[in-house]
Amino acid sequence: MQSLLCLLATVSDPADLTLNYTSGITNFIRWLFPEYNLTIASFWAPFLVKAADSDSNGHTYTSTMSLYLDEPEEN
């Protein structure tokens, strides 16, 4: 995606639509290339699949996590 954005930005100036559709949270970024009728969106998530703490004591940086590869992240 970054390479595609760089290539497109060399021939067209993108409009940043991020703040038009969010309330200041920039985990979801949108760029519009009006000359090409193209919108590119970037969605950030720690995992694209559902993740849950496996440790009953809560999350730590060394705790084990369960990843559910057949379920998308709810957010």
Side-chain angles (χ1 to χ4, degrees):
M1 183 196 72
Q2 294 295 332
S3 296
L4 177 60
L5 279 172
C6 287
L7 286 171
L8 286 169
T10 62
V11 295
S12 178
D13 290 325
D16 186 354
L17 302 179
T18 303
L19 296 178
N20 295 357
Y21 295 97
T22 62
S23 59
I25 300 170
T26 56
N27 289 343
F28 188 72
I29 302 171
R30 295 180 185 194
W31 296 275
L32 171 66
F33 293 87
E35 295 174 18
Y36 296 94
N37 194 26
L38 173 70
T39 301
I40 295 179
S42 171
F43 174 75
W44 180 91
F47 301 107
L48 294 178
V49 296
K50 183 178 176 182
D53 289 321
S54 295
D55 191 351
S56 60
N57 295 326
H59 177 71
T60 65
Y61 288 106
T62 59
S63 65
T64 304
M65 298 202 58
S66 296
L67 297 178
Y68 300 90
L69 301 179
D70 60 338
E71 297 180 40
E73 172 65 35
E74 294 174 7
N75 294 329

